[in-house]
Amino acid sequence: MKIVIVGGGAGGLELATTLGHNLGKKGKADIVLIDRNQTHIWKPLLHEVASGSLDADIDAVGYRAHAYKNHFEFKLGTLGGVDRARKVVLLDAFVDEEGEEILPQREESYDYLVLAIGSVSNDFGVEGVAQHCTFLDSPAQARRFHQRLVDRFIRLNRDLADGQSDRKLRVAIIGAGATGVELSAELYKAQEWFTSYGLREITPEHLEVSLIEAGPRLLPALNDRISSGAHEELVKLGVNVRVNTAIVSARPRSLVTKEGEEIPTDLMVWAAGVKAPEFLTHIDGLETNRANQIVVEPTLQAKGDPSIFVLGDCAGCPITGPDGQQKWVPPRAQSAHQMASSVGRNLCLLLREKTLQEFQYKDLGSLVSLSQYTAFGRLMGGLARGGLSLEGKVARMAYVSLYRMHQVAIYGWTRTAVVALADKINHFIRPRFKLH
Ligand SMILES: Cc1cc2nc3c(=O)[nH]c(=O)nc-3n(C[C@H](O)[C@H](O)[C@H](O)COP(=O)(O)OP(=O)(O)OC[C@H]3O[C@@H](n4cnc5c(N)ncnc54)[C@H](O)[C@@H]3O)c2cc1C
């Protein structure tokens, strides 16, 4: 049996690793992971790559070496489509940055296919956003933003040293969900490190971060306590928080609100929502929802094709909310993690010709980190049955432990402990911030 997983992200890499151990190692199935990148960075860390508090070159997991150690095969490729009748995935030609072809257009056959290709930013068709705003969908985009940030800080420092005291770096972040809120705080931390590391002219007053939200409050998906706590802390840092402000167009150096106000800015990050990649809506016969997600059965098999499983941000998995309303499992790392475990279990059951289990989503709570300043969160389940609110250092530790749990899923406990120790040593011997 050959299982092909496309997308080695928060869910896909965990699944490939588990199946490699449970099936690949014992020769019960061939496991193939396909990704368009050569390395994996856990997506919830991308805002830290963007600010420089995380060096992606150190933290990234190389797919090939990881596959070799964990009994699966890695193939580099970008999914372009699926031919369900012939049970093959279609991979686009792979070209390098200069446009030279590295790998031709190819096909990969499968007995079972798992789609785990995540999501992309949703610009909701707002004029100019695709051209002028940065998205944080991939490590490459996060690195690009970081490079621009470094260049702008260096130029600002020079202008201030030349006596142009009115100069500021203006960053606008559109969307006050977790990504927007966390990135705002990270930018102030970045400014502190830039000043400490020699750009001495720059003070917090020279950074102007505007966090712009169309709705009435920050973190709309989280409770009031977390939302107001994060709002207060961001204002203390100096963030210009603007709620009830809808952006209707983006220009090269400014944003325009619904009321016609023009907000001048040097860097713009669009973090106002996600959707699954558009081409999923063209996979013949598969049902998709308004967010382009492939609609799945309770077993996480695609509706109408039991040989395709879908997990993570690209899966449209209906659930009933506590208020009895039908909704979709939210596009979050914990959903991808839980779905990966469920798909792994079901593929093993399929092999043994047993009945598949239904996926049950458990909301384990939410955590939001404001860089190293503070964190807020609410944990659910286990001992915190009625919900446990966390704040400050404890919330920050819980937040960090989320990444450690992802590392446990891909490295196991022993290696994760060694990696955590290596991180501590790196913290001591390397610069605390990436400044190039
Ligand atoms: C800045 C940021 C902060 C976040 N913070 C949080 C948080 O605090 N908590 C939380 O729960 N969630 C957070 N999220 C959301 C979370 O990252 C996602 O929900 C989660 O990563 C989804 O996992 P996934 O496996 O579905 O997709 P991903 O982790 O996005 O992985 C998708 C993989 O598919 C690959 N891929 C994509 N397209 C193709 C293609 N055509 N062909 C081949 N490979 C492809 C990609 O390279 C990637 O490796 C955050 C997201 C961002 C961007």
Side-chain angles (χ1 to χ4, degrees):
M1 179 162 96
K2 181 173 170 189
I3 301 169
V4 173
I5 303 161
V6 189
L13 185 58
E14 291 187 8
L15 177 65
T17 309
T18 309
L19 292 181
H21 282 277
N22 293 345
L23 303 177
K25 189 177 179 182
K26 297 169 188 156
K28 291 183 178 171
D30 293 328
I31 316 297
V32 178
L33 174 68
I34 298 172
D35 200 284
R36 61 182 173 187
N37 292 318
Q38 313 241 28
T39 57
H40 159 81
I41 280 277
W42 196 51
K43 202 173 178 186
L45 296 177
L46 287 187
H47 63 287
E48 295 189 21
V49 175
S51 71
S53 67
L54 187 108
D55 188 340
D57 294 334
I58 294 174
D59 250 69
V61 180
Y63 284 120
R64 278 181 205 287
H66 187 77
Y68 171 73
K69 276 198 180 129
N70 293 282
H71 317 283
F72 66 89
E73 194 181 350
F74 171 71
K75 294 194 173 175
L76 184 63
T78 301
L79 180 74
V82 181
D83 184 337
R84 295 198 299 121
R86 290 170 50 232
K87 283 195 156 188
V88 292
V89 291
L90 312 169
L91 303 178
D92 296 341
F94 201 84
V95 292
D96 67 12
E97 279 172 9
E98 277 93 44
E100 196 174 319
E101 186 174 286
I102 306 293
L103 292 168
Q105 212 175 29
R106 287 149 298 146
E107 293 185 349
E108 186 75 35
S109 65
Y110 64 82
D111 295 309
Y112 288 98
L113 171 64
V114 183
L115 293 174
I117 58 169
S119 56
V120 292
S121 294
N122 191 349
D123 68 7
F124 301 99
V126 174
E127 186 196 341
V129 169
Q131 294 81 5
H132 306 304
C133 294
T134 300
F135 302 108
L136 290 186
D137 292 335
S138 67
Q141 288 170 335
R143 281 196 194 96
R144 232 174 356 254
F145 176 83
H146 178 68
Q147 195 52 56
R148 284 191 197 139
L149 186 71
V150 173
D151 293 346
R152 297 296 200 288
F153 268 129
I154 292 172
R155 194 194 305 162
L156 174 66
N157 193 65
R158 185 205 61 196
D159 288 349
L160 292 169
D162 288 350
Q164 300 177 46
S165 56
D166 58 332
R167 290 296 157 94
K168 275 183 176 196
L169 174 60
R170 297 159 305 181
V171 184
I173 301 168
I174 306 98
T179 304
V181 165
E182 293 183 338
L183 180 63
S184 304
E186 279 292 336
L187 292 176
Y188 280 88
K189 200 72 204 164
Q191 175 272 316
E192 283 180 19
W193 283 110
F194 277 109
T195 309
S196 307
Y197 286 162
L199 302 184
R200 303 231 180 271
E201 306 295 329
I202 302 171
T203 65
E205 290 71 45
H206 296 117
L207 175 66
E208 186 181 286
V209 176
S210 298
L211 180 61
I212 302 169
E213 166 61 42
R217 66 182 186 94
L218 266 59
L219 299 165
L222 306 186
N223 69 24
D224 270 345
R225 210 194 120 268
I226 301 179
S227 168
S228 55
H231 191 141
E232 246 172 63
E233 287 298 323
L234 289 181
V235 170
K236 266 194 232 160
L237 281 177
V239 178
N240 174 21
V241 179
R242 299 188 56 163
V243 290
N244 295 315
T245 307
I247 298 300
V248 293
S249 82
R251 295 179 181 163
R253 301 291 299 263
S254 65
L255 293 161
V256 181
T257 70
K258 196 171 159 197
E259 289 74 29
E261 182 193 355
E262 191 161 354
I263 304 172
T265 171
D266 302 303
L267 291 172
M268 296 175 257
V269 180
W270 187 268
V274 295
K275 61 181 179 184
E278 218 256 342
F279 75 88
L280 292 182
T281 61
H282 307 307
I283 298 179
D284 200 23
L286 294 189
E287 185 182 332
T288 47
N289 63 14
R290 278 178 57 196
N292 301 341
Q293 294 168 311
I294 296 177
V295 179
V296 293
E297 301 284 1
T299 52
L300 297 180
Q301 287 160 300
K303 246 185 173 179
D305 192 336
S307 59
I308 300 181
F309 288 81
V310 193
L311 64 85
D313 285 5
C314 66
C317 182
I319 45 165
T320 310
D323 52 2
Q325 297 270 5
Q326 280 289 306
K327 52 182 197 166
W328 304 100
V329 169
R332 298 168 66 185
Q334 60 170 303
S335 317
H337 168 77
Q338 292 176 29
M339 287 178 171
S341 305
S342 176
V343 171
R345 235 182 347 261
N346 275 345
L347 282 164
C348 292
L349 287 171
L350 260 176
L351 209 77
R352 288 189 280 152
E353 296 179 356
K354 296 251 168 77
T355 313
L356 304 197
Q357 292 176 1
E358 294 193 355
F359 171 68
Q360 303 283 347
Y361 174 66
K362 289 191 195 75
D363 183 355
L364 301 176
S366 308
L367 288 154
V368 177
S369 168
L370 302 188
S371 189
Q372 287 147 30
Y373 302 110
T374 188
F376 295 91
R378 189 162 174 81
L379 298 185
M380 315 289 281
L383 292 175
R385 203 153 285 283
L388 176 70
S389 293
L390 305 177
E391 200 174 322
K393 273 208 170 109
V394 182
R396 174 82 193 154
M397 275 162 61
Y399 180 86
V400 172
S401 72
L402 292 180
Y403 180 42
R404 295 288 176 224
M405 292 317 290
H406 173 64
Q407 290 181 315
V408 168
I410 58 173
Y411 292 142
W413 286 98
T414 313
R415 248 191 100 199
T416 300
V418 176
V419 170
L421 181 66
D423 286 348
K424 285 259 175 266
I425 296 169
N426 273 332
H427 205 65
F428 182 64
I429 59 174
R430 300 182 69 90
R432 296 285 296 278
F433 233 79
K434 189 168 188 271
L435 300 169
H436 53 274

